[in-house]
């Protein structure tokens, strides 16, 4: 098959991770994969070496105008139903006379509610009346369900998202995975990397890669404040941050705590994340069950678990399938006190920390595989009647 993935933005974040490794795995299964990025400025090797081909929007359009079989015989797969990939996907698929698929990785309706500070049904009415204009960086309430309805099929990163798929549209769930490098990390922290980061050998180190944004700012605010709380309790820890923070979303207390106890590594290419994770003693993914966390699959959890470090997370999304005290420690409300208590417990009980880390890695070995994900997506295409075309 010729498979064209159409991302919604630059090559970064969960979407880019999933497209990159899925496309590479599908290439290994004998398919020809292409990735269209709608904006300039992405690093082609951000996640590692691509075995697929990048296309600009103009290059894709030119191939179609020349009736190139590379795209005329393709399946188009929109990575999320947001406006940029929706327009590109529908336009390219229409010109090529080919089917399209759509991928869901978030509760897009909840994200719109947070962005516009109103219930989704009210937002839809306001957009329809012309009183609100939606950004193309997100879904449009007037188009996104029709886009899903016209798809040959919809893939979902977690089962909860299938409730947004129109009733008669085929759907398929697949889980993401992570790089093999995380599985190969020694269970003990890498002291060389710690020294390079300016960390002492006797310090307890947390590492958190990922952005602070409107959907997770409340939890990250508590996470940063937990650093101060641990210090007040005589258990100071250091936090290595990789990624951007929208500081205006954080409290003064959280910013001060991050400044005191954090090391800001800034944006880090995903292929370098195993080095940073190798420095960690404990890994924390804050959150709570609800309309955001229940409908996502944090890509961090795949490599957190695979790393063999003890993980603290919420009983939401994939966390629901983990066992508290066996694969992870559960957070109750992700408050600063809750996070600090779980970190303190692992600091005090080294046997528990090691057991949780080893069990988490065993869980990751059993369930996280890009080869398995690629086989699942391939079978889904074939089941919908799109056999090998190229």
């Amino acid at each position: 098959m010729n498979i064209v993935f159409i991302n919604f933005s630059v090559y970064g974040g969960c979407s880019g991770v999933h497209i990159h490794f899925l496309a590479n795995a599908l290439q290994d299964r004998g398919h020809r994969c292409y990735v269209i990025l709608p904006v300039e400025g992405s690093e082609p090797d951000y996640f590692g070496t691509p075995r697929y081909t990048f296309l600009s929007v103009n290059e894709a359009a030119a191939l179609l105008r020349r009736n190139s079989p590379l795209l005329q015989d393709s399946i188009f797969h929109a990575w999320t139903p947001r406006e940029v990939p929706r327009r590109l996907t529908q336009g390219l698929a229409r010109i090529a006379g080919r089917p399209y698929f759509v991928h869901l990785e978030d509760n897009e309706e909840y994200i719109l509610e947070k962005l516009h500070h109103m219930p989704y049904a009210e937002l839809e009415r306001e957009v329809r009346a012309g009183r609100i204009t939606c950004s193309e960086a997100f879904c449009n309430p007037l188009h996104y369900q029709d886009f899903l309805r016209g798809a040959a099929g919809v893939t979902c990163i977690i089962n909860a998202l299938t409730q947004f798929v129109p009733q008669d549209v085929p759907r398929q769930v697949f889980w993401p995975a992570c790089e093999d490098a995380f599985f190969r990390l020694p269970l003990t922290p890498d002291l060389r990397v710690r020294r390079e980061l300016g960390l002492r050998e006797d310090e307890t180190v947390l590492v958190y890669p990922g952005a602070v944004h409107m959907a997770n700012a409340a939890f990250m605010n508590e996470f940063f404040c937990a650093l101060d709380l641990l210090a007040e309790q005589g258990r100071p820890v250091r936090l290595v941050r990789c990624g951007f923070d929208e500081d205006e979303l954080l409290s003064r207390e959280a910013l001060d705590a991050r400044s005191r106890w954090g090391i800001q590594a800034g944006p880090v290419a995903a292929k370098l994340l195993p080095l940073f994770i190798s420095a960690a003693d404990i890994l924390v993914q804050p959150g709570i069950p609800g309309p955001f966390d229940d409908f996502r699959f944090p890509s961090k959890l795949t490599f957190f678990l695979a790393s063999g470090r003890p993980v603290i997370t919420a009983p939401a999304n994939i966390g629901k399938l983990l066992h508290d005290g066996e694969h992870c420690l559960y957070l109750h409300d992700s408050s600063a006190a809750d996070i600090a208590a779980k970190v303190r417990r692992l600091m005090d009980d080294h046997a528990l920390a090691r057991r949780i880390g080893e069990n988490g890695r065993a869980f990751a070995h059993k369930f996280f595989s890009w080869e398995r994900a690629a086989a699942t997506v391939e079978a889904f295409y074939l089941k919908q009647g799109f056999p090998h075309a190229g």
Side-chain angles (χ1 to χ4, degrees):
M1 279 180 277
N2 297 318
I3 306 164
V4 182
F5 296 104
I6 302 169
N7 197 21
F8 67 86
S9 186
V10 295
Y11 222 30
C14 293
S15 294
V17 170
H18 298 164
I19 292 174
H20 171 81
F21 289 102
L22 181 63
N24 268 353
L26 285 165
Q27 281 280 148
D28 293 342
R29 296 181 68 83
H31 305 294
R32 287 195 290 266
C33 293
Y34 305 85
V35 174
I36 295 177
L37 303 176
V39 292
E40 301 293 332
S42 295
E43 300 176 42
D45 64 345
Y46 184 83
F47 299 110
T49 303
R51 296 192 287 279
Y52 48 87
T53 301
F54 282 102
L55 292 174
S56 68
V57 175
N58 289 337
E59 287 170 335
L63 286 171
L64 286 172
R65 283 195 296 269
R66 295 200 302 268
N67 292 320
S68 168
L70 291 179
L71 294 192
Q72 289 291 348
D73 294 332
S74 288
I75 287 171
F76 295 88
H77 203 148
W79 222 249
T80 81
R82 298 186 179 189
E83 276 298 277
V84 170
R86 179 190 72 80
R87 289 184 176 182
L88 285 174
T89 301
Q90 286 185 320
L92 293 171
R94 187 182 305 115
I95 294 170
R98 295 292 295 167
Y100 69 82
F101 290 75
V102 183
H103 182 64
L104 297 180
E105 65 180 16
D106 282 304
N107 182 343
E108 300 286 352
E109 296 182 10
Y110 175 76
I111 290 173
L112 286 175
E113 288 180 340
K114 293 288 287 184
L115 183 67
H116 293 280
H117 309 289
M118 66 178 65
Y120 181 77
E122 181 181 346
L123 173 63
E124 185 174 5
R125 289 194 296 271
E126 292 295 299
V127 173
R128 195 175 298 279
R131 290 187 288 268
I132 290 180
T133 300
C134 287
S135 166
E136 289 199 346
F138 300 94
C139 283
N140 187 306
L142 304 186
H143 302 310
Y144 109 94
Q145 274 292 313
D146 285 339
F147 184 44
L148 295 178
R149 200 169 290 112
V154 174
T155 55
C156 300
I157 205 66
I158 199 163
N159 190 66
L161 287 170
T162 60
Q163 75 178 57
F164 297 107
V165 181
Q167 184 174 358
D168 296 329
V169 177
R171 73 284 311 270
Q172 176 66 58
V173 176
F174 73 90
W175 285 1
C178 63
E179 302 92 314
D180 289 340
F182 290 106
F183 288 103
R184 295 195 298 267
L185 290 178
L187 296 179
T188 53
D190 189 318
L191 300 182
R192 179 187 60 82
V193 175
R194 286 198 184 204
R195 287 193 293 271
E196 291 176 355
L197 291 171
L199 298 164
R200 298 196 314 269
E201 293 184 12
D202 62 341
E203 290 182 310
T204 297
V205 177
L206 315 178
V207 177
Y208 188 88
V212 171
H213 48 74
M214 63 178 182
N216 71 359
F219 305 132
M220 294 304 297
N221 202 79
E222 295 294 319
F223 189 8
F224 294 148
C225 287
L227 304 176
D228 261 351
L229 187 54
L230 283 161
E232 292 168 7
Q233 296 167 347
R235 308 293 182 85
V237 300
R238 302 294 300 281
L239 173 65
V240 179
R241 284 283 297 112
C242 306
F244 288 112
D245 293 344
E246 294 186 34
D247 286 358
E248 65 275 13
L249 300 176
L250 297 169
S251 69
R252 184 73 260 164
E253 293 78 11
L255 292 171
D256 289 345
R258 187 192 64 187
S259 177
R260 276 189 287 271
W261 307 110
I263 293 177
Q264 292 291 105
V268 173
K271 61 188 176 182
L272 299 178
L273 285 180
L275 284 176
F276 285 86
I277 297 297
S278 73
D281 293 291
I282 299 167
L283 297 166
V284 181
Q285 174 63 56
I288 56 172
F292 178 63
D293 275 305
D294 280 344
F295 292 88
R296 63 193 292 252
F297 193 130
S299 61
K300 290 184 289 300
L301 277 181
T302 59
F303 59 77
F304 277 13
L305 293 165
S307 74
R309 273 80 182 139
V311 172
I312 299 170
T313 191
N317 50 72
I318 188 63
K320 291 180 178 179
L321 301 180
L322 304 174
H323 292 161
D324 187 24
E326 180 181 347
H327 305 108
C328 68
L329 287 185
Y330 272 164
L331 292 164
H332 296 304
D333 58 13
S334 280
S335 64
D338 187 20
I339 294 170
K342 300 306 185 299
V343 171
R344 196 169 61 247
R345 183 180 173 189
L346 292 173
M347 292 173 71
D348 290 343
D349 192 335
H350 296 289
L352 173 66
R354 186 174 184 87
R355 185 171 69 250
I356 286 176
E358 290 174 346
N359 290 340
R361 173 172 278 181
F363 181 95
H365 265 301
K366 183 175 180 180
F367 293 108
F368 300 152
S369 164
W370 282 117
E371 291 73 20
R372 188 181 305 124
T376 299
V377 172
E378 174 192 66
F380 185 52
Y381 293 149
L382 295 173
K383 184 177 180 181
Q384 305 318 313
F386 305 107
H388 294 268

